[in-house]
């Protein structure tokens, strides 16, 4: 379920949480399931523009790429990147304008395999507010933004509800959002930064296994 996130916040809730306006409010639509298997746009805050909530396509693309998004994703999965592979990621190494971003969500999904059956869980903030996931983004030649989710080792809370992978989306605590978007965090310091700043009280609930896209 690493390729499914959720954003059920209203426009006003997103703006209030982030403390900045939506750059293109007409583009935002609430969705219980945002799947990485389809070309979708997601609200993000970028290093380049920290004063507005921008929108980016989920799945990194090369700057000069001019074919279909799906064709590239069929060749190379750029929806996620593991934190321990950042230094040796061939796609990221080839991008000239790669930078960090925050992805705004209200939840993500996990899967637990037990006695031959899968059980799906929805992970959200305890207070049901939006929160931030860490990511990397780049800008295409036509001005569009594309991003990848940063995955880090799952914490103890998630381990109880996920056993098909050892990784989870990387949560960035609101208190450290500005530091994540600053130039003060280098590649060598990212793992330590995440370990110290990613904690957030979570609400985890089981959901119907036949999740429908919205």
């Amino acid at each position: 379920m690493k390729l499914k996130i959720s954003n059920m916040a209203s426009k006003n809730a997103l703006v209030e949480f982030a403390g900045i306006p939506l750059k293109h409010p007409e583009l935002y639509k609430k969705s219980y399931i945002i799947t990485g298997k389809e070309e979708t746009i997601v609200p993000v805050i970028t290093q380049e523009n920290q004063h507005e909530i921008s929108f980016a396509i989920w799945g990194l693309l090369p700057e000069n790429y001019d074919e279909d998004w799906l064709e590239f994703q069929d060749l190379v999965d750029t929806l996620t990147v593991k934190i321990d592979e950042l230094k040796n990621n061939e796609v990221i190494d080839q991008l000239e304008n790669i930078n960090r971003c925050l992805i705004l969500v209200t939840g993500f999904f996990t899967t637990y395999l037990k006695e031959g059956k899968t059980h799906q869980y929805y992970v959200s903030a305890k207070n049901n507010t939006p929160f931030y996931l860490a990511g990397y983004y780049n800008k295409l030649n036509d001005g569009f933004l594309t991003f990848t989710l940063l995955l880090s080792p799952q914490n103890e809370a998630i381990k109880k509800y996920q056993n098909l992978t050892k990784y989870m989306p990387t949560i960035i605590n609101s208190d450290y959002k500005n530091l994540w978007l600053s130039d003060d965090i280098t590649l060598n310091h990212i793992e330590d930064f995440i370990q110290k700043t990613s904690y957030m009280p979570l609400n985890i609930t089981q959901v119907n296994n036949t999740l429908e896209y919205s």
Side-chain angles (χ1 to χ4, degrees):
M1 296 292 280
K2 72 174 185 178
L3 301 184
K4 293 184 177 70
I5 57 178
S6 179
N7 202 329
M8 291 298 290
S10 66
K11 293 179 183 179
N12 288 340
L14 275 187
V15 168
E16 182 177 352
F17 171 74
I20 53 177
L22 284 158
K23 185 174 183 178
H24 298 290
E26 71 281 0
L27 294 180
Y28 178 68
K29 293 181 180 179
K30 295 192 295 184
S31 183
Y32 179 53
I33 297 180
I34 303 168
T35 173
K37 294 182 179 180
E38 299 174 359
E39 183 177 353
T40 54
I41 59 170
V42 178
V44 301
I45 303 174
T46 67
Q47 278 189 288
E48 181 183 15
N49 182 8
Q50 301 180 32
H51 304 294
E52 293 177 303
I53 301 173
S54 304
F55 289 89
I57 300 169
W58 189 4
L60 282 174
L61 295 175
E63 285 90 353
N64 59 354
Y65 187 74
D66 60 5
E67 296 180 323
D68 289 340
W69 173 89
L70 185 58
E71 290 184 16
F72 189 77
Q73 293 303 320
D74 282 342
L75 297 172
V76 184
D77 177 7
T78 61
L79 296 169
T80 61
V81 58
K82 295 176 181 175
I83 195 169
D84 47 11
E85 296 177 354
L86 273 174
K87 296 179 182 179
N88 299 301
N89 186 280
E90 294 182 358
V91 174
I92 287 181
D93 286 345
Q94 294 178 22
L95 298 177
E96 296 181 1
N97 59 6
I98 192 77
N99 282 296
R100 292 189 295 272
C101 66
L102 295 165
I103 300 101
L104 287 93
V105 301
T106 54
F108 59 87
F109 298 88
T110 65
T111 303
Y112 196 92
L113 178 64
K114 183 178 180 180
E115 297 177 352
K117 294 184 178 180
T118 57
H119 303 268
Q120 321 298 340
Y121 295 90
Y122 180 63
V123 182
S124 59
K126 275 284 188 182
N127 53 8
N128 291 317
T129 61
F131 59 95
Y132 298 116
L133 298 179
Y136 280 80
Y137 79 98
N138 72 325
K139 181 183 287 187
L140 306 185
N141 291 343
D142 58 11
F144 282 99
L145 306 178
T146 70
F147 77 93
T148 185
L149 274 176
L150 180 64
L151 301 182
S152 54
Q154 61 186 354
N155 59 33
E156 293 301 319
I158 296 297
K159 282 182 181 180
K160 299 176 183 179
Y161 303 94
Q162 177 175 267
N163 62 358
L164 296 181
T165 177
K166 295 181 180 180
Y167 292 86
M168 61 178 282
T170 304
I171 296 169
I172 297 292
N173 189 294
S174 295
D175 293 338
Y176 299 96
K177 69 170 187 176
N178 293 333
L179 189 55
W180 175 250
L181 295 177
S182 75
D183 294 326
D184 296 334
I185 304 297
T186 67
L187 191 58
N188 292 330
H189 298 142
I190 285 176
E191 289 191 49
D192 289 339
F193 171 81
I194 295 301
Q195 289 178 2
K196 296 177 181 177
T197 63
S198 63
Y199 175 76
M200 181 184 75
L202 299 174
N203 186 44
I204 305 175
T205 55
Q206 188 165 3
V207 296
N208 192 319
N209 280 10
T210 57
L211 291 171
E212 295 181 356
Y213 298 100
S214 57

